[in-house]
Amino acid sequence: MGAKANLLTDTKIRGLKCESGKQYKKVAVGGEDNLYLFVYPDMKNGAKGGKIFKYFYDRNKSETLGRYPELSLGEARERARNFERDRAQREETEKIITLEAAVDMFIKFKSKTLAKTTLSKEYLRVKNYLYPTLKDKDIRKITKKDILAPLKALNEAQGLADSVRRCKNFISRTFDYMIGLDLIEDNVADMVKSSIFTIPKEKHFSAITDEPRIGDFLKAINSVSARTSAHVRNALIFAVLTGSRPGNIRAMEWSEVDFSKRTWRISFEKMKSRREHIIGLSDQAMKILEFQKYFSKGRYVFSSKDRPLSENTVNKLISNLGFKDEMTAHGVRAMFKTVCSNHGKDKDVAERCLAHAVTDKLQKAYDRSENSPEMIERKRELLQWYADYLDSIEPIKIIDVKNLY
């Protein structure tokens, strides 16, 4: 802002004249930096010289705002402020926004509501499928063809229909976000229709659900040597006993376990549903944790190192046991759900044990009780029944630490 003592007034302006022999007189208006009044000399034909407001920016560049007195002092100052504001906005929007920058902005925005693992998978698809050709391209110059060409080629060459469709949908949502920020006007990704990519039939995780094969599966687990595969073996047994997602078990930390309350608390950041999940543990599950205390000295329950088990370790063990085509680490969830259903157990409690999203409007009203002491105990009781049921088929050998030495 200019000094108040130097503010021009209408009275001062009326008294301003351009000295003889000069092309103009430049006077600071005050009230706004870089705003000037140019006073021109009277014409030889007697016409009065004009008085024009000009706003200067970028050193010697100027914008003519209007002629005095048609444009008042107050209006001139307001126009100067608006011009500077609009110019700053234009410069901001005129900056190049690469696809990489747009994706980073969208991921940062979605990190508040989506799990880190989900966003990581979305990012890797974009990085592998679109970054090779579009990473540094301004999103305002990206065309429908730019997005369609690499995705169509991948789909036809490698049969990646589902991944390609997910990548396209993620970029479409990214462009929608950019439109919301007023950085682009059109969503060219939305013009690429997912229907052109052949989507394979949904693949369900393999799972054993009949009692005889469940017994065979448990016998196979019991045959695994605790000396050579203790962490992996126990991770698999714990998955069987709790019906938990493989990723949650691999990333299970000691800080999440409460031995006095016999619970496992998984933070919302780790959950697919983005809701905290508390599991009441059975006697058998607690014995597994007691065993692991002797061997897992780091941060993670089922690892002797300061990093979790790799993603395919448990599935590799299942495959080595001869159940590659019948069972997966994720399949233990279907096994738990099917057994509970076949024995008439409470469906709602079983779903809550699995941390499945509740879709029924009436059930949603009870979400506030999800982690109440009563519900945790009901989940524990069901998991205890399930562990005992498995033991009745084939007792799971939970190794006593003393027997290892």
Side-chain angles (χ1 to χ4, degrees), residues 105-307:
M105 290 168 65
F106 184 56
I107 286 178
K108 183 177 180 181
F109 170 70
K110 296 301 289 185
S111 64
K112 303 171 186 176
T113 55
L114 288 180
K116 186 177 180 180
T117 53
T118 300
L119 288 174
S120 178
K121 290 177 182 178
E122 299 280 17
Y123 171 76
L124 286 175
R125 278 191 284 266
V126 174
K127 178 183 177 182
N128 293 331
Y129 302 166
L130 295 179
Y131 277 8
T133 55
L134 298 176
K135 177 182 177 181
D136 297 320
K137 189 165 184 176
D138 190 335
I139 58 172
R140 285 165 294 196
K141 296 182 180 179
I142 291 177
T143 65
K144 171 186 173 181
K145 185 178 179 180
D146 289 333
I147 296 172
L148 175 60
L151 295 183
K152 187 177 181 181
L154 278 165
N155 182 46
E156 293 175 351
Q158 301 182 35
L160 299 175
D162 186 61
S163 292
V164 165
R165 179 177 57 83
R166 290 175 185 271
C167 179
K168 177 266 167 187
N169 290 341
F170 181 77
I171 288 298
S172 183
R173 295 197 300 274
T174 300
F175 276 50
D176 278 341
Y177 181 62
M178 294 295 106
I179 291 174
L181 295 179
D182 203 24
L183 296 176
I184 59 175
E185 294 183 358
D186 299 310
N187 186 343
V188 294
D190 208 33
M191 300 176 189
V192 179
K193 300 304 178 183
S194 297
S195 58
I196 69 171
F197 307 117
T198 303
I199 301 173
K201 293 182 179 180
E202 183 179 358
K203 181 180 178 181
H204 295 283
F205 293 102
S206 299
I208 297 170
T209 55
D210 62 287
E211 190 169 301
R213 288 303 283 163
I214 290 176
D216 294 338
F217 182 56
L218 297 178
K219 285 180 183 178
I221 295 176
N222 285 336
S223 70
V224 179
S225 170
R227 291 180 181 274
T228 57
S229 306
H231 294 304
V232 184
R233 177 186 187 275
N234 285 343
L236 176 55
I237 295 174
F238 197 80
V240 170
L241 293 172
T242 61
S244 297
R245 290 186 173 90
N248 290 137
I249 290 178
R250 289 188 299 104
M252 185 179 182
E253 301 178 39
W254 287 114
S255 60
E256 299 168 356
V257 180
D258 189 324
F259 280 91
S260 63
K261 293 182 179 179
R262 297 161 58 90
T263 57
W264 173 24
R265 182 188 296 267
I266 310 174
S267 65
F268 76 93
E269 293 94 343
K270 289 185 175 182
M271 292 300 297
K272 183 178 180 181
S273 63
R274 303 299 284 177
R275 297 197 307 269
E276 183 182 61
H277 183 48
I278 302 177
I279 302 172
L281 300 171
S282 64
D283 295 338
Q284 291 89 330
M286 290 301 299
K287 288 180 181 179
I288 290 289
L289 296 182
E290 291 289 351
F291 179 92
Q292 286 299 115
K293 282 174 64 178
Y294 285 90
F295 296 96
S296 179
K297 304 301 181 183
R299 171 182 172 186
Y300 297 99
V301 174
F302 296 105
S303 176
S304 59
K305 302 175 181 179
D306 196 27
R307 64 175 184 269

Side-chain angles (χ1 to χ4, degrees), residues 296-339:
S296 179
K297 304 301 181 183
R299 171 182 172 186
Y300 297 99
V301 174
F302 296 105
S303 176
S304 59
K305 302 175 181 179
D306 196 27
R307 64 175 184 269
L309 292 173
S310 63
E311 186 172 356
N312 292 317
T313 302
V314 175
N315 277 331
K316 185 177 180 180
L317 174 59
I318 293 173
S319 177
N320 290 340
L321 292 175
F323 293 85
K324 180 179 179 180
D325 297 325
E326 295 181 78
M327 193 60 162
T328 63
H330 201 283
V332 300
R333 292 166 61 78
M335 186 171 82
F336 167 77
K337 184 175 180 179
T338 301
V339 168

Side-chain angles (χ1 to χ4, degrees), residues 16-27 39-42:
L16 288 176
K17 290 187 178 181
C18 179
E19 290 83 355
S20 177
K22 290 188 175 182
Q23 291 184 333
Y24 58 81
K25 182 175 184 177
K26 180 181 177 183
V27 184
V39 182
Y40 294 92
D42 295 339

